[in-house]
Amino acid sequence: MKIKEMLLKGKVFADLLKDFAIEIPTIEIQNEDMILNEAESAPNGMLKEMICITARNGQYLFDFFGTLYFNVVERLAVFELQGFEKLSLNKS
């Protein structure tokens, strides 16, 4: 199961996306495969990792920076937002 799918199960992450009018198919977690591999080899299946999530809505590209708390055994993921940047997609 991908990290994005696990995060979307949580109400707080879904609310974050709603606040920024993020289109769910545009969400990308940088280095997701590497994070999944690290979590699977972690002693207790738990991982805490600084990540960047990139997503778009109709007008902007967002980079969300924060901490991912991830439990591969329980298939749970929580993202703690620490900051973001917003870049315009409109080239004027």
Side-chain angles (χ1 to χ4, degrees):
M1 179 179 284
K2 293 290 188 180
I3 295 170
K4 177 174 102 172
E5 294 167 356
M6 287 182 242
L7 286 171
L8 288 170
K9 289 181 181 180
K11 181 176 178 354
V12 174
F13 189 73
D15 287 346
L16 173 71
L17 300 179
K18 188 175 167 183
D19 287 347
F20 288 93
I22 298 295
E23 299 165 3
I24 291 174
T26 70
I27 298 170
E28 292 181 24
I29 299 172
Q30 293 181 5
N31 301 319
E32 182 173 17
D33 290 334
M34 182 184 75
I35 294 167
L36 285 169
N37 287 336
E38 285 180 22
E40 288 177 6
S41 62
N44 55 3
M46 294 176 54
L47 184 70
K48 177 182 170 184
E49 186 80 30
M50 296 293 294
I51 65 166
C52 176
I53 299 174
T54 302
R56 294 188 304 272
N57 66 17
Q59 299 176 328
Y60 298 100
L61 173 71
F62 294 91
D63 288 322
F64 297 103
F65 306 100
T67 304
L68 173 71
Y69 300 91
F70 182 62
N71 184 325
V72 70
V73 176
E74 299 293 329
R75 298 189 183 269
L76 297 172
V78 175
F79 178 69
E80 179 181 20
L81 179 66
Q82 290 153 344
F84 71 94
E85 66 181 2
K86 176 172 84 171
L87 305 167
S88 179
L89 292 173
N90 300 329
K91 301 196 182 207
S92 302

